């Protein structure tokens, strides 16, 4: 048995998703003539109660388009130090938008009330201008930690009182919503812009969406084109995203539950020093003694189990559409035998 716990980006289209892709009606999206892309964008915007949406190849692109649209050169973006936009997007904010990052140390990737206003810089000529707050829900490097909407609203109010725009990196937002029972519209009312990923737990092969006001999305569309993100018959891909939104959001609760099972099984094992609280579909744990992540992962690979190091002695397991209960059973049995 092969079990891929490396990332929820490892998902493959289901048979019904493939059928939707093959049946898609397509056109040229650069001319806004692809009916399936148009439907995906309209569906997502309506679900979040926002004016417009833009389909892009990746979450890096949607996040960076948001930064570009919200900032000017020499501004700064405030975010938690574990944020994806800082850790895993190649530093492109400095090249594309000519902005810097003001990093805050929160708790498991989450900012705390009071930290934002304290981080906003005074208006001096020798300092960058604080102009945008970005929070990530769930926070990948924080172990899939979840913000409730009430927590997010508190931070957003604090940011707006300091004159900041607010963007949500919601790559795994739906993993949070199945736990908090909140609606996408709750989050659409809270943020200026939101990025959601279709190719993680939702199971589409490609794509993310940027949601926001129509005038900002129009600007983002132009930036998407000049960055090479203008796609032609993209409806074949958009059909997968549309199917995912319509059929795969509620089932994310299964992924979260499987990650919790893994966390519970890991906690008592002698080679595990600690397991971070599992709130969604990510389980991060720390190895004990001198056991290194690379050696531990080599041992797992001999049993057909794939995962990723998150530090010299840290490992991340990520559950997703293609990880079944039987696979989780296999992982747990293997871990227990290794003990």
């Amino acid at each position: 048995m092969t079990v891929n716990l490396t990332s929820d980006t490892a998902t493959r289209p289901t048979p019904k998703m493939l059928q939707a892709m093959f049946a898609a009606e397509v056109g040229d999206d650069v001319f806004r003539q692809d009916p399936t892309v148009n439907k995906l964008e309209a569906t997502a915007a309506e679900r979040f109660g926002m004016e417009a949406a833009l389909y892009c190849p990746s979450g890096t692109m949607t996040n960076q388009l948001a930064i570009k649209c919200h900032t000017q050169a020499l501004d700064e973006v405030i975010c938690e130090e574990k944020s994806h936009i800082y850790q895993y997007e190649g530093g492109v904010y400095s090249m594309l938008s000519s902005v810097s990052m003001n990093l805050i140390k929160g708790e498991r990737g989450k900012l705390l009330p009071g930290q934002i206003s304290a981080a906003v810089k005074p208006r001096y000529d020798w300092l960058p201008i604080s102009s945008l707050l970005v929070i990530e829900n769930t926070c990948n490097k924080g172990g899939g930690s979840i913000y409730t909407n009430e927590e997010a609203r508190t931070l957003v109010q604090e940011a707006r009182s300091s004159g900041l725009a607010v963007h949500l990196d919601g790559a795994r937002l739906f993993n949070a919503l199945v736990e908090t029972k909140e609606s996408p519209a709750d989050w659409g009312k809270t943020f200026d812009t939101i990025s959601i990923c279709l190719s993680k737990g939702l199971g589409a092969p490609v794509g993310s969406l940027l949601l926001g006001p129509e005038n900002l999305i129009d600007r983002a569309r132009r930036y998407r084109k000049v960055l090479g993100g203008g796609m032609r018959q993209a409806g074949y891909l958009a059909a997968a995203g549309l199917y995912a939104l319509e059929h795969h959001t509620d089932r994310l609760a299964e992924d979260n539950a499987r990650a919790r099972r893994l966390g519970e099984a890991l906690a008592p094992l002698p080679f595990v020093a600690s397991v971070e609280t599992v709130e969604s579909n990510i389980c991060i744990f720390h190895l004990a003694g001198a056991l290194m992540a690379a050696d531990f992962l080599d041992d797992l690979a001999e049993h057909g189990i794939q995962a990723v190091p998150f530090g010299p002695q840290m490992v991340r397991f990520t559950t997703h559409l293609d990880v079944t209960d039987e696979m989780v059973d296999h992982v747990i049995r293997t871990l227990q035998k290794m003990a």
Side-chain angles (χ1 to χ4, degrees):
M1 181 181 291
T2 299
V3 185
N4 190 338
L5 298 172
T6 57
S7 175
D8 43 12
T9 58
T11 57
R12 294 160 298 180
T14 64
K16 289 185 178 180
M17 182 181 285
L18 284 171
Q19 290 175 12
M21 294 170 71
F22 283 121
E25 184 181 357
V26 299
D28 190 329
D29 182 49
V30 172
F31 287 91
R32 307 192 189 190
Q33 293 175 352
D34 189 302
T36 307
V37 173
N38 293 342
K39 183 178 180 180
L40 170 63
E41 292 172 343
T43 298
E46 181 180 9
R47 185 170 297 192
F48 280 84
M50 304 187 89
E51 290 181 357
L54 180 66
Y55 182 53
C56 294
S58 71
T60 293
M61 182 174 282
T62 49
N63 281 334
Q64 295 302 323
L65 289 178
I67 291 172
K68 179 69 174 174
C69 289
H70 283 303
T71 64
Q72 300 182 60
L74 305 181
D75 285 356
E76 72 171 12
V77 177
I78 295 174
C79 66
E80 210 280 338
E81 64 183 7
K82 290 183 173 67
S83 295
H84 193 280
I85 60 166
Y86 173 71
Q87 294 281 346
Y88 298 122
E89 297 186 9
V92 67
Y93 54 84
S94 61
M95 180 186 73
L96 178 63
S97 300
S98 299
V99 298
S100 56
M101 288 285 166
N102 185 345
L103 303 177
I104 300 174
K105 182 177 179 60
E107 292 183 0
R108 299 187 66 234
K110 294 173 59 177
L111 296 173
L112 305 174
Q115 289 187 309
I116 298 164
S117 55
V120 173
K121 288 183 169 56
R123 289 297 189 98
Y124 294 129
D125 291 344
W126 54 90
L127 295 177
I129 296 173
S130 305
S131 62
L132 176 64
L133 169 70
V134 178
I135 72 170
E136 182 182 343
N137 194 23
T138 67
C139 181
N140 170 31
K141 202 168 176 65
S145 54
I146 291 175
Y147 284 100
T148 66
N149 189 249
E150 182 178 357
E151 290 173 328
R153 285 200 311 269
T154 298
L155 299 177
V156 167
Q157 290 167 4
E158 185 179 335
R160 288 193 169 133
S161 69
S162 297
L164 305 181
V166 287
H167 171 65
L168 174 67
D169 176 1
R172 294 181 174 91
L173 178 60
F174 285 103
N175 285 90
L177 297 186
V178 294
E179 298 298 321
T180 63
K181 310 303 181 186
E182 296 160 350
S183 72
D186 293 331
W187 289 80
K189 294 173 185 175
T190 303
F191 286 84
D192 296 319
T193 51
I194 295 175
S195 168
I196 59 170
C197 186
L198 303 169
S199 64
K200 292 187 170 68
L202 292 179
V206 175
S208 288
L209 288 158
L210 178 64
L211 304 106
E214 189 169 359
N215 61 342
L216 185 145
I217 296 300
D218 281 344
R219 277 195 293 138
R221 186 181 300 273
R222 176 171 171 78
Y223 291 136
R224 183 191 70 169
K225 181 65 176 72
V226 300
L227 291 172
M231 298 176 284
R232 301 301 177 174
Q233 287 71 42
Y236 293 116
L237 298 174
L242 191 60
Y243 184 90
L245 284 178
E246 293 174 345
H247 299 282
H248 286 177
T249 55
D250 290 344
R251 63 147 306 279
L252 292 171
E254 300 171 13
D255 298 342
N256 296 350
R258 288 171 181 140
R260 284 193 290 271
R261 280 189 63 206
L262 289 170
E264 291 166 0
L266 283 160
L269 298 177
F271 54 79
V272 175
S274 63
V275 181
E276 298 193 11
T277 303
V278 181
E279 298 184 48
S280 55
N281 69 318
I282 293 174
C283 174
I284 293 178
F285 56 99
H286 302 256
L287 298 171
L291 181 58
M292 304 303 291
D295 296 327
F296 176 75
L297 291 172
D298 285 343
D299 291 341
L300 281 184
E302 293 181 4
H303 298 277
I305 301 166
Q306 301 170 315
V308 292
F310 242 41
Q313 289 190 282
M314 292 174 61
V315 175
R316 185 188 76 174
F317 286 169
T318 308
T319 54
H320 52 79
L321 179 66
D322 290 340
V323 176
T324 64
D325 286 330
E326 291 75 19
M327 291 177 179
V328 172
D329 291 340
H330 171 65
V331 174
I332 292 173
R333 285 194 300 268
T334 301
L335 291 168
Q336 290 171 344
K337 289 178 182 177
M338 290 170 63

